[in-house]
mmCIF file of all heavy atoms in Angstrom:
data_model
loop_
_atom_site.group_PDB
_atom_site.id
_atom_site.type_symbol
_atom_site.label_atom_id
_atom_site.label_comp_id
_atom_site.label_asym_id
_atom_site.label_seq_id
_atom_site.Cartn_x
_atom_site.Cartn_y
_atom_site.Cartn_z
ATOM 1 N N VAL A 1 82.633 111.245 128.987
ATOM 2 C CA VAL A 1 81.570 111.872 128.218
ATOM 3 C C VAL A 1 80.477 112.339 129.168
ATOM 4 O O VAL A 1 80.302 111.758 130.247
ATOM 5 C CB VAL A 1 81.014 110.882 127.159
ATOM 6 C CG1 VAL A 1 80.344 109.701 127.824
ATOM 7 C CG2 VAL A 1 80.085 111.574 126.190
ATOM 8 N N GLN A 2 79.771 113.366 128.782
ATOM 9 C CA GLN A 2 78.649 113.831 129.593
ATOM 10 C C GLN A 2 77.425 112.956 129.365
ATOM 11 O O GLN A 2 77.270 112.329 128.309
ATOM 12 C CB GLN A 2 78.317 115.279 129.240
ATOM 13 C CG GLN A 2 79.348 116.287 129.714
ATOM 14 C CD GLN A 2 78.885 117.715 129.523
ATOM 15 O OE1 GLN A 2 78.106 117.998 128.602
ATOM 16 N NE2 GLN A 2 79.370 118.623 130.348
ATOM 17 N N ALA A 3 76.564 112.937 130.348
ATOM 18 C CA ALA A 3 75.315 112.188 130.227
ATOM 19 C C ALA A 3 74.564 112.634 128.974
ATOM 20 O O ALA A 3 74.496 113.828 128.670
ATOM 21 C CB ALA A 3 74.454 112.389 131.462
ATOM 22 N N GLY A 4 74.032 111.645 128.263
ATOM 23 C CA GLY A 4 73.352 111.921 127.005
ATOM 24 C C GLY A 4 74.245 111.830 125.790
ATOM 25 O O GLY A 4 73.752 111.834 124.654
ATOM 26 N N GLY A 5 75.546 111.749 126.019
ATOM 27 C CA GLY A 5 76.498 111.686 124.921
ATOM 28 C C GLY A 5 76.688 110.282 124.395
ATOM 29 O O GLY A 5 76.002 109.337 124.814
ATOM 30 N N SER A 6 77.650 110.150 123.484
ATOM 31 C CA SER A 6 77.903 108.876 122.816
ATOM 32 C C SER A 6 79.394 108.562 122.813
ATOM 33 O O SER A 6 80.238 109.465 122.820
ATOM 34 C CB SER A 6 77.411 108.921 121.367
ATOM 35 O OG SER A 6 76.023 109.126 121.292
ATOM 36 N N LEU A 7 79.681 107.281 122.793
ATOM 37 C CA LEU A 7 81.039 106.775 122.611
ATOM 38 C C LEU A 7 80.953 105.501 121.783
ATOM 39 O O LEU A 7 79.932 104.800 121.815
ATOM 40 C CB LEU A 7 81.713 106.454 123.944
ATOM 41 C CG LEU A 7 82.272 107.585 124.792
ATOM 42 C CD1 LEU A 7 82.758 107.028 126.133
ATOM 43 C CD2 LEU A 7 83.393 108.308 124.080
ATOM 44 N N ARG A 8 82.030 105.203 121.077
ATOM 45 C CA ARG A 8 82.101 103.934 120.373
ATOM 46 C C ARG A 8 83.379 103.209 120.769
ATOM 47 O O ARG A 8 84.480 103.745 120.615
ATOM 48 C CB ARG A 8 82.072 104.124 118.855
ATOM 49 C CG ARG A 8 81.950 102.797 118.104
ATOM 50 C CD ARG A 8 81.869 102.968 116.606
ATOM 51 N NE ARG A 8 83.157 103.274 116.015
ATOM 52 C CZ ARG A 8 83.420 103.153 114.706
ATOM 53 N NH1 ARG A 8 82.472 102.725 113.890
ATOM 54 N NH2 ARG A 8 84.603 103.473 114.232
ATOM 55 N N LEU A 9 83.202 102.000 121.261
ATOM 56 C CA LEU A 9 84.333 101.135 121.591
ATOM 57 C C LEU A 9 84.622 100.202 120.421
ATOM 58 O O LEU A 9 83.701 99.746 119.753
ATOM 59 C CB LEU A 9 84.045 100.313 122.838
ATOM 60 C CG LEU A 9 83.720 101.097 124.114
ATOM 61 C CD1 LEU A 9 83.488 100.116 125.272
ATOM 62 C CD2 LEU A 9 84.827 102.062 124.457
ATOM 63 N N SER A 10 85.904 99.940 120.217
ATOM 64 C CA SER A 10 86.329 99.003 119.182
ATOM 65 C C SER A 10 87.091 97.858 119.826
ATOM 66 O O SER A 10 87.791 98.053 120.820
ATOM 67 C CB SER A 10 87.230 99.699 118.163
ATOM 68 O OG SER A 10 86.562 100.768 117.523
ATOM 69 N N CYS A 11 86.964 96.701 119.252
ATOM 70 C CA CYS A 11 87.687 95.515 119.725
ATOM 71 C C CYS A 11 88.217 94.793 118.500
ATOM 72 O O CYS A 11 87.439 94.271 117.699
ATOM 73 C CB CYS A 11 86.752 94.622 120.522
ATOM 74 S SG CYS A 11 87.494 93.076 121.084
ATOM 75 N N THR A 12 89.537 94.771 118.373
ATOM 76 C CA THR A 12 90.165 94.186 117.194
ATOM 77 C C THR A 12 90.907 92.917 117.574
ATOM 78 O O THR A 12 91.660 92.900 118.550
ATOM 79 C CB THR A 12 91.140 95.181 116.557
ATOM 80 O OG1 THR A 12 90.432 96.366 116.184
ATOM 81 C CG2 THR A 12 91.795 94.584 115.313
ATOM 82 N N THR A 13 90.671 91.866 116.815
ATOM 83 C CA THR A 13 91.376 90.609 117.060
ATOM 84 C C THR A 13 92.685 90.604 116.288
ATOM 85 O O THR A 13 92.745 91.060 115.144
ATOM 86 C CB THR A 13 90.540 89.402 116.624
ATOM 87 O OG1 THR A 13 90.297 89.490 115.212
ATOM 88 C CG2 THR A 13 89.215 89.371 117.352
ATOM 89 N N SER A 14 93.701 90.082 116.935
ATOM 90 C CA SER A 14 95.028 90.036 116.329
ATOM 91 C C SER A 14 95.318 88.631 115.858
ATOM 92 O O SER A 14 95.331 87.696 116.647
ATOM 93 C CB SER A 14 96.080 90.477 117.348
ATOM 94 O OG SER A 14 97.381 90.338 116.827
ATOM 95 N N GLY A 15 95.533 88.496 114.545
ATOM 96 C CA GLY A 15 95.942 87.202 114.044
ATOM 97 C C GLY A 15 94.817 86.212 113.841
ATOM 98 O O GLY A 15 95.073 85.052 113.539
ATOM 99 N N ARG A 16 93.580 86.651 114.020
ATOM 100 C CA ARG A 16 92.459 85.741 113.847
ATOM 101 C C ARG A 16 91.360 86.432 113.053
ATOM 102 O O ARG A 16 91.185 87.632 113.128
ATOM 103 C CB ARG A 16 91.903 85.296 115.200
ATOM 104 C CG ARG A 16 92.832 84.447 116.025
ATOM 105 C CD ARG A 16 93.070 83.083 115.414
ATOM 106 N NE ARG A 16 93.843 82.207 116.290
ATOM 107 C CZ ARG A 16 95.161 82.135 116.317
ATOM 108 N NH1 ARG A 16 95.860 82.897 115.484
ATOM 109 N NH2 ARG A 16 95.771 81.326 117.153
ATOM 110 N N THR A 17 90.636 85.647 112.297
ATOM 111 C CA THR A 17 89.521 86.178 111.530
ATOM 112 C C THR A 17 88.306 86.279 112.436
ATOM 113 O O THR A 17 87.820 85.272 112.944
ATOM 114 C CB THR A 17 89.211 85.279 110.327
ATOM 115 O OG1 THR A 17 90.382 85.166 109.521
ATOM 116 C CG2 THR A 17 88.080 85.853 109.520
ATOM 117 N N VAL A 18 87.818 87.485 112.610
ATOM 118 C CA VAL A 18 86.744 87.704 113.565
ATOM 119 C C VAL A 18 85.471 86.972 113.174
ATOM 120 O O VAL A 18 84.637 86.657 114.026
ATOM 121 C CB VAL A 18 86.490 89.222 113.732
ATOM 122 C CG1 VAL A 18 85.821 89.799 112.483
ATOM 123 C CG2 VAL A 18 85.663 89.499 114.964
ATOM 124 N N SER A 19 85.313 86.639 111.906
ATOM 125 C CA SER A 19 84.101 85.961 111.464
ATOM 126 C C SER A 19 84.028 84.528 111.967
ATOM 127 O O SER A 19 82.994 83.886 111.829
ATOM 128 C CB SER A 19 84.003 85.987 109.940
ATOM 129 O OG SER A 19 85.126 85.361 109.364
ATOM 130 N N ASN A 20 85.096 84.016 112.555
ATOM 131 C CA ASN A 20 85.070 82.669 113.126
ATOM 132 C C ASN A 20 84.653 82.663 114.597
ATOM 133 O O ASN A 20 84.625 81.603 115.215
ATOM 134 C CB ASN A 20 86.455 82.032 113.016
ATOM 135 C CG ASN A 20 86.815 81.710 111.587
ATOM 136 O OD1 ASN A 20 85.953 81.482 110.749
ATOM 137 N ND2 ASN A 20 88.105 81.700 111.300
ATOM 138 N N TYR A 21 84.345 83.844 115.131
ATOM 139 C CA TYR A 21 84.123 83.953 116.570
ATOM 140 C C TYR A 21 82.795 84.634 116.897
ATOM 141 O O TYR A 21 82.404 85.604 116.248
ATOM 142 C CB TYR A 21 85.248 84.767 117.215
ATOM 143 C CG TYR A 21 86.589 84.102 117.139
ATOM 144 C CD1 TYR A 21 87.395 84.251 116.025
ATOM 145 C CD2 TYR A 21 87.028 83.304 118.184
ATOM 146 C CE1 TYR A 21 88.628 83.615 115.955
ATOM 147 C CE2 TYR A 21 88.263 82.677 118.116
ATOM 148 C CZ TYR A 21 89.052 82.836 116.998
ATOM 149 O OH TYR A 21 90.264 82.201 116.931
ATOM 150 N N ALA A 22 82.143 84.115 117.926
ATOM 151 C CA ALA A 22 81.079 84.865 118.585
ATOM 152 C C ALA A 22 81.740 85.827 119.555
ATOM 153 O O ALA A 22 82.780 85.509 120.149
ATOM 154 C CB ALA A 22 80.139 83.922 119.319
ATOM 155 N N MET A 23 81.153 87.010 119.703
ATOM 156 C CA MET A 23 81.803 88.027 120.517
ATOM 157 C C MET A 23 80.813 88.652 121.491
ATOM 158 O O MET A 23 79.616 88.738 121.208
ATOM 159 C CB MET A 23 82.423 89.102 119.628
ATOM 160 C CG MET A 23 83.406 88.535 118.604
ATOM 161 S SD MET A 23 84.314 89.772 117.685
ATOM 162 C CE MET A 23 85.482 90.355 118.909
ATOM 163 N N GLY A 24 81.339 89.072 122.598
ATOM 164 C CA GLY A 24 80.493 89.680 123.608
ATOM 165 C C GLY A 24 81.147 90.893 124.237
ATOM 166 O O GLY A 24 82.359 91.080 124.156
ATOM 167 N N TRP A 25 80.326 91.728 124.837
ATOM 168 C CA TRP A 25 80.783 92.875 125.605
ATOM 169 C C TRP A 25 80.264 92.753 127.032
ATOM 170 O O TRP A 25 79.092 92.424 127.246
ATOM 171 C CB TRP A 25 80.286 94.181 124.994
ATOM 172 C CG TRP A 25 80.956 94.572 123.723
ATOM 173 C CD1 TRP A 25 80.536 94.298 122.449
ATOM 174 C CD2 TRP A 25 82.180 95.300 123.591
ATOM 175 N NE1 TRP A 25 81.424 94.816 121.531
ATOM 176 C CE2 TRP A 25 82.438 95.440 122.209
ATOM 177 C CE3 TRP A 25 83.087 95.860 124.495
ATOM 178 C CZ2 TRP A 25 83.566 96.111 121.718
ATOM 179 C CZ3 TRP A 25 84.194 96.530 124.007
ATOM 180 C CH2 TRP A 25 84.427 96.648 122.627
ATOM 181 N N PHE A 26 81.131 93.031 127.968
ATOM 182 C CA PHE A 26 80.791 93.010 129.377
ATOM 183 C C PHE A 26 81.316 94.288 130.003
ATOM 184 O O PHE A 26 82.137 94.989 129.424
ATOM 185 C CB PHE A 26 81.429 91.795 130.064
ATOM 186 C CG PHE A 26 80.882 90.482 129.579
ATOM 187 C CD1 PHE A 26 81.321 89.939 128.379
ATOM 188 C CD2 PHE A 26 79.934 89.792 130.304
ATOM 189 C CE1 PHE A 26 80.810 88.732 127.908
ATOM 190 C CE2 PHE A 26 79.420 88.590 129.855
ATOM 191 C CZ PHE A 26 79.855 88.061 128.656
ATOM 192 N N ARG A 27 80.834 94.595 131.203
ATOM 193 C CA ARG A 27 81.340 95.764 131.911
ATOM 194 C C ARG A 27 81.410 95.465 133.399
ATOM 195 O O ARG A 27 80.686 94.619 133.911
ATOM 196 C CB ARG A 27 80.477 96.997 131.648
ATOM 197 C CG ARG A 27 79.066 96.920 132.215
ATOM 198 C CD ARG A 27 78.258 98.133 131.775
ATOM 199 N NE ARG A 27 76.914 98.123 132.330
ATOM 200 C CZ ARG A 27 75.964 99.004 132.005
ATOM 201 N NH1 ARG A 27 76.219 99.962 131.121
ATOM 202 N NH2 ARG A 27 74.778 98.922 132.564
ATOM 203 N N GLN A 28 82.299 96.193 134.050
ATOM 204 C CA GLN A 28 82.463 96.027 135.484
ATOM 205 C C GLN A 28 82.644 97.398 136.115
ATOM 206 O O GLN A 28 83.638 98.085 135.842
ATOM 207 C CB GLN A 28 83.658 95.131 135.803
ATOM 208 C CG GLN A 28 83.778 94.783 137.269
ATOM 209 C CD GLN A 28 84.722 93.625 137.504
ATOM 210 O OE1 GLN A 28 85.533 93.261 136.654
ATOM 211 N NE2 GLN A 28 84.623 93.013 138.673
ATOM 212 N N ALA A 29 81.677 97.785 136.915
ATOM 213 C CA ALA A 29 81.761 99.032 137.656
ATOM 214 C C ALA A 29 82.531 98.804 138.949
ATOM 215 O O ALA A 29 82.637 97.670 139.430
ATOM 216 C CB ALA A 29 80.364 99.572 137.945
ATOM 217 N N ALA A 30 83.052 99.860 139.505
ATOM 218 C CA ALA A 30 83.837 99.755 140.734
ATOM 219 C C ALA A 30 83.007 99.114 141.838
ATOM 220 O O ALA A 30 81.880 99.531 142.111
ATOM 221 C CB ALA A 30 84.314 101.136 141.157
ATOM 222 N N GLY A 31 83.560 98.072 142.446
ATOM 223 C CA GLY A 31 82.896 97.407 143.551
ATOM 224 C C GLY A 31 81.773 96.470 143.152
ATOM 225 O O GLY A 31 81.072 95.942 144.026
ATOM 226 N N LYS A 32 81.608 96.265 141.850
ATOM 227 C CA LYS A 32 80.524 95.389 141.401
ATOM 228 C C LYS A 32 81.075 94.249 140.560
ATOM 229 O O LYS A 32 82.211 94.284 140.098
ATOM 230 C CB LYS A 32 79.510 96.194 140.590
ATOM 231 C CG LYS A 32 78.783 97.265 141.392
ATOM 232 C CD LYS A 32 77.688 97.911 140.571
ATOM 233 C CE LYS A 32 76.915 98.935 141.392
ATOM 234 N NZ LYS A 32 75.828 99.564 140.600
ATOM 235 N N GLU A 33 80.240 93.256 140.351
ATOM 236 C CA GLU A 33 80.636 92.119 139.533
ATOM 237 C C GLU A 33 80.535 92.469 138.044
ATOM 238 O O GLU A 33 79.798 93.363 137.649
ATOM 239 C CB GLU A 33 79.751 90.910 139.845
ATOM 240 C CG GLU A 33 79.930 90.373 141.248
ATOM 241 C CD GLU A 33 79.142 89.095 141.485
ATOM 242 O OE1 GLU A 33 78.359 88.706 140.598
ATOM 243 O OE2 GLU A 33 79.321 88.483 142.553
ATOM 244 N N ARG A 34 81.292 91.723 137.261
ATOM 245 C CA ARG A 34 81.230 91.908 135.821
ATOM 246 C C ARG A 34 79.847 91.495 135.320
ATOM 247 O O ARG A 34 79.308 90.466 135.731
ATOM 248 C CB ARG A 34 82.311 91.066 135.144
ATOM 249 C CG ARG A 34 82.511 91.361 133.674
ATOM 250 C CD ARG A 34 83.773 90.705 133.164
ATOM 251 N NE ARG A 34 84.967 91.221 133.853
ATOM 252 C CZ ARG A 34 86.210 90.943 133.476
ATOM 253 N NH1 ARG A 34 86.426 90.163 132.408
ATOM 254 N NH2 ARG A 34 87.221 91.414 134.153
ATOM 255 N N GLU A 35 79.284 92.310 134.418
ATOM 256 C CA GLU A 35 77.948 92.016 133.929
ATOM 257 C C GLU A 35 77.893 92.041 132.406
ATOM 258 O O GLU A 35 78.665 92.730 131.746
ATOM 259 C CB GLU A 35 76.931 93.022 134.492
ATOM 260 C CG GLU A 35 77.122 94.452 134.037
ATOM 261 C CD GLU A 35 76.005 95.360 134.530
ATOM 262 O OE1 GLU A 35 75.101 94.901 135.265
ATOM 263 O OE2 GLU A 35 76.024 96.546 134.161
ATOM 264 N N PHE A 36 76.972 91.293 131.878
ATOM 265 C CA PHE A 36 76.749 91.197 130.449
ATOM 266 C C PHE A 36 76.189 92.500 129.909
ATOM 267 O O PHE A 36 75.280 93.086 130.505
ATOM 268 C CB PHE A 36 75.781 90.043 130.189
ATOM 269 C CG PHE A 36 75.313 89.919 128.776
ATOM 270 C CD1 PHE A 36 76.157 89.445 127.785
ATOM 271 C CD2 PHE A 36 74.009 90.246 128.436
ATOM 272 C CE1 PHE A 36 75.719 89.299 126.483
ATOM 273 C CE2 PHE A 36 73.562 90.113 127.138
ATOM 274 C CZ PHE A 36 74.415 89.640 126.158
ATOM 275 N N VAL A 37 76.724 92.938 128.776
ATOM 276 C CA VAL A 37 76.211 94.122 128.090
ATOM 277 C C VAL A 37 75.513 93.711 126.796
ATOM 278 O O VAL A 37 74.373 94.093 126.542
ATOM 279 C CB VAL A 37 77.353 95.110 127.770
ATOM 280 C CG1 VAL A 37 76.830 96.265 126.907
ATOM 281 C CG2 VAL A 37 77.972 95.641 129.047
ATOM 282 N N GLY A 38 76.190 92.922 125.981
ATOM 283 C CA GLY A 38 75.604 92.483 124.729
ATOM 284 C C GLY A 38 76.487 91.471 124.045
ATOM 285 O O GLY A 38 77.639 91.269 124.426
ATOM 286 N N ALA A 39 75.943 90.816 123.029
ATOM 287 C CA ALA A 39 76.682 89.795 122.307
ATOM 288 C C ALA A 39 76.231 89.765 120.855
ATOM 289 O O ALA A 39 75.129 90.205 120.519
ATOM 290 C CB ALA A 39 76.484 88.423 122.948
ATOM 291 N N ILE A 40 77.099 89.236 120.012
ATOM 292 C CA ILE A 40 76.791 89.105 118.592
ATOM 293 C C ILE A 40 77.267 87.741 118.135
ATOM 294 O O ILE A 40 78.302 87.246 118.582
ATOM 295 C CB ILE A 40 77.456 90.248 117.784
ATOM 296 C CG1 ILE A 40 76.961 90.261 116.339
ATOM 297 C CG2 ILE A 40 78.974 90.176 117.854
ATOM 298 C CD1 ILE A 40 77.318 91.538 115.599
ATOM 299 N N ASN A 41 76.492 87.135 117.242
ATOM 300 C CA ASN A 41 76.863 85.797 116.796
ATOM 301 C C ASN A 41 77.944 85.876 115.723
ATOM 302 O O ASN A 41 78.364 86.947 115.289
ATOM 303 C CB ASN A 41 75.639 85.036 116.304
ATOM 304 C CG ASN A 41 75.067 85.625 115.016
ATOM 305 O OD1 ASN A 41 75.264 86.803 114.724
ATOM 306 N ND2 ASN A 41 74.369 84.802 114.256
ATOM 307 N N ARG A 42 78.376 84.725 115.305
ATOM 308 C CA ARG A 42 79.511 84.634 114.387
ATOM 309 C C ARG A 42 79.232 85.344 113.057
ATOM 310 O O ARG A 42 80.085 86.034 112.521
ATOM 311 C CB ARG A 42 79.835 83.164 114.154
ATOM 312 C CG ARG A 42 80.850 82.918 113.087
ATOM 313 C CD ARG A 42 81.183 81.441 112.992
ATOM 314 N NE ARG A 42 81.819 81.145 111.730
ATOM 315 C CZ ARG A 42 82.382 79.994 111.421
ATOM 316 N NH1 ARG A 42 82.370 79.007 112.306
ATOM 317 N NH2 ARG A 42 82.944 79.795 110.255
ATOM 318 N N SER A 43 78.031 85.186 112.553
ATOM 319 C CA SER A 43 77.716 85.778 111.257
ATOM 320 C C SER A 43 77.389 87.265 111.359
ATOM 321 O O SER A 43 77.364 87.966 110.344
ATOM 322 C CB SER A 43 76.527 85.049 110.620
ATOM 323 O OG SER A 43 75.353 85.266 111.380
ATOM 324 N N GLY A 44 77.133 87.729 112.581
ATOM 325 C CA GLY A 44 76.801 89.133 112.763
ATOM 326 C C GLY A 44 75.338 89.443 112.580
ATOM 327 O O GLY A 44 74.920 90.599 112.692
ATOM 328 N N GLY A 45 74.518 88.425 112.327
ATOM 329 C CA GLY A 45 73.118 88.677 112.064
ATOM 330 C C GLY A 45 72.229 88.693 113.282
ATOM 331 O O GLY A 45 71.068 89.110 113.207
ATOM 332 N N THR A 46 72.759 88.266 114.408
ATOM 333 C CA THR A 46 71.957 88.193 115.634
ATOM 334 C C THR A 46 72.702 88.849 116.778
ATOM 335 O O THR A 46 73.891 88.600 116.975
ATOM 336 C CB THR A 46 71.671 86.731 115.999
ATOM 337 O OG1 THR A 46 70.969 86.099 114.927
ATOM 338 C CG2 THR A 46 70.832 86.651 117.270
ATOM 339 N N THR A 47 71.998 89.700 117.493
ATOM 340 C CA THR A 47 72.562 90.357 118.661
ATOM 341 C C THR A 47 71.617 90.205 119.843
ATOM 342 O O THR A 47 70.416 89.957 119.682
ATOM 343 C CB THR A 47 72.806 91.858 118.407
ATOM 344 O OG1 THR A 47 71.586 92.464 117.944
ATOM 345 C CG2 THR A 47 73.898 92.078 117.376
#
């Protein structure tokens, strides 16, 4: 995507109810360590 644009990533759990899990997003750029992007709690009310 060009700078200023948008993308949406999806993450689907197989065989498990996602409401039982806290979930997080991380990213790793080339040559760098994995870093925290964001997280959401089990109920979805806190990010």
